[in-house]
């Protein structure tokens, strides 16, 4: 069972209180973008075995969206953080580096 | 004017805990900026309560205020006064970026009391309800089996449970089954 701490209400919520929202930190390409950019925005997703960044919503709780960094292989959770950011904060990156030295994800490392 | 009637007309079940429908309760959903002094003053003016801390309910002289999220409170006031209090709240909120609505008739309210109250709720919600983890004044939004609900604990060990009125009968039957005398687990026995 996956347990994530909601950064807004502090609740350690188990999976049934949460709604998975897919990959984190996607940049939206809409009107004015090229067909290639729009295609990648719509369809291209990371599917890593290991470090991953996701969006989750505390659906049966405070209702807020937040971010989580976790390992898809072991279900280890490195941390959760606010939705009001374009990239993972430094303390989350440090927590991942401590457990998975040399990790990469898209253009992050 | 028609007589307002609560969802289950005061239904009651007695088992390892007593489950009873609490009747009509005035509830105002309020969203706004908690950091604004004017917002806190408006909450206080109609409930007598301070802003609740995260995950808590603040009791006031005239009502109560519960923490629903970083920008949402549930204000509880007497049912008969809810429209007047809402008008007063809107007056007090003039100039604030906030929204308040009377949600009283959208809800059903239950009380769970007795020795088995913690266990009755713990069997249907993914929440640690041990005495150390869940204390009087704690307020939690979660789910009860298949539906959303919120609850808090008072100083006498009684839980108040709030859910949507449309699932009121489901929640009553759920809590009654969970309080059935032959369903006792005894997990929180001292
Ligand atoms: Zn939350």
């Amino acid at each position: 069972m996956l347990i994530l701490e909601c950064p807004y209400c502090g609740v350690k919520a188990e999976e049934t209180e949460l709604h998975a929202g897919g990959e984190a930190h996607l940049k939206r390409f809409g009107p004015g973008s090229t067909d290639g950019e729009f295609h990648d925005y719509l369809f291209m997703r990371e599917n890593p075995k290991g470090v991953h960044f996701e969006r989750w919503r505390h659906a049966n709780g405070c209702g807020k969206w937040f971010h989580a960094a976790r390992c898809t292989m072991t279900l280890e959770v490195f941390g959760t953080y606010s939705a009001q950011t374009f990239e993972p904060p430094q303390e989350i990156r440090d927590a991942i580096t401590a457990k998975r030295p040399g990790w990469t994800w898209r253009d992050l490392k | 004017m028609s007589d307002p009637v609560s969802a289950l007309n005061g239904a009651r079940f007695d088992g390892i805990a007593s489950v009873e429908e609490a009747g009509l309760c005035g509830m105002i959903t309020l969203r706004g900026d908690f950091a604004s002094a004017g917002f806190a003053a408006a909450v206080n003016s109609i409930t007598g309560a301070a802003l609740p801390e995260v995950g808590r309910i603040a009791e006031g002289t005239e009502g109560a205020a519960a923490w629903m999220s970083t920008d949402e409170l549930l204000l509880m006031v007497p049912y008969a006064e809810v429209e007047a209090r809402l008008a007063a709240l809107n007056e007090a909120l003039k100039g604030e970026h906030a929204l308040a609505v009377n949600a009283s008739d959208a809800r059903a309210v239950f009380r769970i009391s007795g020795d088995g109250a913690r266990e009755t709720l713990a069997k249907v919600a993914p929440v640690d309800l041990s005495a150390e983890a869940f204390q009087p004044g704690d307020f939690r939004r979660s789910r009860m089996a298949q539906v959303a609900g919120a609850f808090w604990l008072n100083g006498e060990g009684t839980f108040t449970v709030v859910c949507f009125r449309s699932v009121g009968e489901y929640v009553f039957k759920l809590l009654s089954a969970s309080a059935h005398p032959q369903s006792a687990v005894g997990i929180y026995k001292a």
Side-chain angles (χ1 to χ4, degrees):
Chain A
M1 177 73 70
L2 185 64
I3 295 175
L4 299 174
E5 183 172 332
C6 172
Y8 297 102
C9 62
V11 162
K12 287 189 174 57
E14 52 109 302
E15 220 171 320
T16 66
E17 272 194 13
L18 303 168
H19 176 79
E23 186 177 329
H25 308 306
L26 293 175
K27 184 183 175 199
R28 181 172 183 273
F29 287 93
S33 61
T34 66
D35 284 356
E37 286 169 337
F38 189 55
H39 167 274
D40 288 356
Y41 161 65
L42 276 186
F43 300 115
M44 299 309 283
R45 294 292 182 270
E46 295 298 294
N47 186 23
K49 180 181 178 185
V51 174
H52 196 29
F53 297 88
E54 293 170 316
R55 302 165 73 227
W56 286 84
R57 181 170 173 256
H58 196 186
N60 282 312
C62 70
K64 299 298 181 191
W65 284 96
F66 61 92
H67 284 124
R70 68 181 182 104
C71 175
T72 58
M73 189 166 66
T74 64
L75 289 195
E76 179 175 3
V77 177
F78 304 113
T80 55
Y81 52 101
S82 161
Q84 279 73 41
T85 177
F86 293 112
E87 54 181 38
Q90 194 58 45
E91 70 261 24
I92 295 289
R93 297 185 196 211
D94 291 346
I96 300 170
T97 303
K99 296 287 184 63
R100 302 283 190 281
W103 65 276
T104 62
W105 186 84
R106 287 198 184 257
D107 53 2
L108 300 174
K109 48 179 161 297
Chain B
M1 206 178 133
S2 53
D3 281 340
V5 176
S6 67
L8 298 176
N9 231 339
R12 183 185 173 100
F13 178 86
D14 291 296
I16 59 168
S18 294
V19 178
E20 60 182 323
E21 203 221 354
L24 296 163
C25 175
M27 285 186 227
I28 296 168
T29 290
L30 172 64
R31 301 193 81 148
D33 179 5
F34 290 10
S36 162
F39 180 85
V43 170
N44 184 265
S45 73
I46 70 145
T47 62
L51 282 191
E53 290 167 50
V54 175
R56 300 277 294 171
I57 182 168
E59 304 273 354
T61 48
E62 308 286 319
W67 192 93
M68 295 286 276
S69 83
T70 50
D71 56 2
E72 181 177 339
L73 295 178
L74 178 61
L75 306 182
M76 271 150 294
V77 297
Y79 184 84
E81 295 173 28
V82 65
E83 285 298 341
R85 299 276 185 103
L86 180 61
L89 178 64
N90 277 322
E91 190 61 34
L93 284 169
K94 277 234 166 78
E96 293 286 322
H97 183 65
L99 193 64
V101 65
N102 173 11
S104 311
D105 295 324
R107 303 273 166 73
V109 184
F110 300 93
R111 293 215 174 83
I112 311 173
S113 56
D115 291 346
R118 285 178 183 273
E119 174 177 325
T120 297
L121 199 48
K123 276 189 270 187
V124 297
V127 178
D128 183 352
L129 288 165
S130 63
E132 307 81 62
F134 204 89
Q135 301 187 344
D138 281 350
F139 179 92
R140 181 73 146 81
R141 286 174 83 179
S142 183
R143 66 176 175 90
M144 290 170 290
Q146 300 183 43
V147 298
F151 46 81
W152 69 94
L153 182 64
N154 73 9
E156 283 83 56
T158 299
F159 287 94
T160 305
V161 174
V162 176
C163 65
F164 287 113
R165 183 172 176 133
S166 56
V167 294
E169 187 176 12
Y170 171 86
V171 169
F172 178 71
K173 286 178 174 169
L174 176 75
L175 293 173
S176 298
S178 187
H180 193 281
Q182 289 175 317
S183 77
V185 177
I187 187 171
Y188 295 137
K189 282 266 159 60

